[in-house]
Amino acid sequence: MGQLDGQVALITGAGRGIGQSVALKLAREGAHIAIADINDAWAKETSRNVIEIGCQSIVSQTDVSDYEQVQSLVEKTIDTFGKIDILVNNAGISKACPFLELSKENWEAQIRVHLSGTFFCSQAVARIMSKHKYGRIVCISSVAALMGPIDLAAYGAAKAGIAGLVRAMALELADHGITANAIAPGPIDTELLRSAWPKDVYEERANHIPAHRLGVVDEVAHAAAFFASPQSGYISGTILPVDGGSVAAGAYMVEQYRRRKGAYE
Ligand SMILES: NC(=O)c1ccc[n+]([C@@H]2O[C@H](COP(=O)([O-])OP(=O)(O)OC[C@H]3O[C@@H](n4cnc5c(N)ncnc54)[C@H](O)[C@@H]3O)[C@@H](O)[C@H]2O)c1
């Protein structure tokens, strides 16, 4: 018996990385999993893994930044399962760029996928959850929402926007039995992180994290499962860093990191 037996979870960006780990973790707890990802092949691979665990799974190839596609995704999920108990807003992209060179296109893409995508999915799913008077919304923000990220202005702004949205949802959805929380991961070893940073910077990142290592996807999935559980009903509107102590260390560690890179030489 898992703590999510018979529940239905919709997870965006579950084709790989953190989202895939969350899907498998919730499936091991007994939840049926609806997977939404822009990459159909990756989504199907995760879906196969969920079915091997013994839960049901469907795939919807969806761009979360497209309002109409999100409505279709939610309709398909309801047609199949009849309800959605858990939503994990995880889909994301990243493209590092110095602020002075940040293009309008890069800015808009980050805001669309992270912030608008989270809003579109949360609103559509919360309308369903409110009818059942129960729901758990978990958003994957970032430590970039809590401290100034280098070369990630658009990403940080979008992730901080998610934190604001989570607080607003916590207030407005409480009467409907729905909680909304965010996880703020620090650097987690995934393809997204590898593609966002040059190889030498990537390899050095562990040096400016108090835990002296990057995180792994299962550590974020563990936090997501906690927020997704029935037992966390009195926790709403929070932003939980899963970051090896990075936010606690604050500017000091960033300074140390930049000095090591010779930024001031
Ligand atoms: N890896 C990190 O260090 C880190 C740190 C903080 C926050 N995050 C956040 O965690 C989330 C997952 O990151 P990851 O590292 O696993 O990345 P990843 O690139 O491994 O996986 C992201 C997934 O999202 C999907 N996706 C991208 N754009 C989409 C869209 N428009 N619609 C639907 N699906 C889309 C991709 O196809 C992919 O399957 C992201 O929101 C990211 O910003 C990651």
Side-chain angles (χ1 to χ4, degrees):
M1 290 285 283
Q3 62 176 348
L4 303 178
D5 271 347
Q7 294 205 4
V8 177
L10 170 55
I11 306 169
T12 70
R16 69 175 192 182
I18 291 169
Q20 181 182 58
S21 178
V22 173
L24 300 183
K25 172 85 177 164
L26 299 192
R28 282 187 213 102
E29 292 295 340
H32 304 305
I33 310 290
I35 296 167
D37 202 294
I38 203 165
N39 186 311
D40 202 40
W42 295 348
K44 283 179 174 152
E45 176 63 24
T46 301
S47 185
R48 275 192 289 275
N49 294 335
V50 167
I51 290 164
E52 273 170 24
I53 290 170
C55 296
Q56 296 170 40
S57 176
I58 57 165
V59 167
S60 304
Q61 186 173 20
T62 308
D63 177 350
V64 295
S65 69
D66 183 311
Y67 184 83
E68 299 304 331
Q69 287 188 32
V70 170
Q71 308 311 307
S72 304
L73 159 71
V74 174
E75 274 168 33
K76 179 176 170 180
T77 307
I78 292 302
D79 285 349
T80 308
F81 294 117
K83 63 172 185 170
I84 301 171
D85 302 288
I86 299 161
L87 168 67
V88 182
N89 287 300
N90 164 81
I93 55 174
S94 180
K95 193 171 175 210
C97 179
F99 178 75
L100 293 178
E101 292 157 32
L102 182 59
S103 68
K104 179 172 173 288
E105 290 71 25
N106 187 347
W107 168 265
E108 287 177 348
Q110 300 286 330
I111 300 295
R112 264 201 315 272
V113 174
H114 293 115
L115 189 51
S116 300
T118 297
F119 166 62
F120 295 160
C121 294
S122 299
Q123 187 191 52
V125 172
R127 284 174 173 162
I128 303 291
M129 289 173 166
S130 67
K131 292 181 189 157
H132 297 261
K133 290 285 173 201
Y134 181 88
R136 298 278 181 266
I137 298 176
V138 184
C139 301
I140 307 298
S141 176
S142 168
V143 291
L146 302 173
M147 51 192 201
I150 301 166
D151 294 342
L152 289 171
Y155 183 86
K159 292 299 195 183
I162 289 174
L165 186 60
V166 158
R167 283 188 285 265
M169 290 194 294
L171 255 67
E172 294 205 36
L173 299 177
D175 285 348
H176 301 276
I178 302 168
T179 65
N181 291 285
I183 297 167
I188 308 295
D189 188 14
T190 67
E191 286 306 316
L192 177 131
L193 196 68
R194 286 175 188 274
S195 63
W197 293 88
K199 193 166 181 290
D200 58 330
V201 177
Y202 183 83
E203 283 168 358
E204 208 185 326
R205 289 213 76 187
N207 292 336
H208 77 116
I209 299 168
H212 293 293
R213 66 173 176 86
L214 302 185
V216 296
V217 291
D218 288 357
E219 290 171 314
V220 182
H222 178 68
F226 166 71
F227 282 134
S229 71
Q231 292 89 336
S232 60
Y234 202 54
I235 304 171
S236 197
T238 67
I239 318 293
L240 175 70
V242 177
D243 68 342
S246 298
V247 170
Y252 167 71
M253 296 302 285
V254 174
E255 173 71 10
Q256 187 183 46
Y257 174 62
R258 294 195 74 163
R259 277 183 193 282
R260 285 185 186 180
K261 287 306 300 166
Y264 300 115
E265 289 167 4

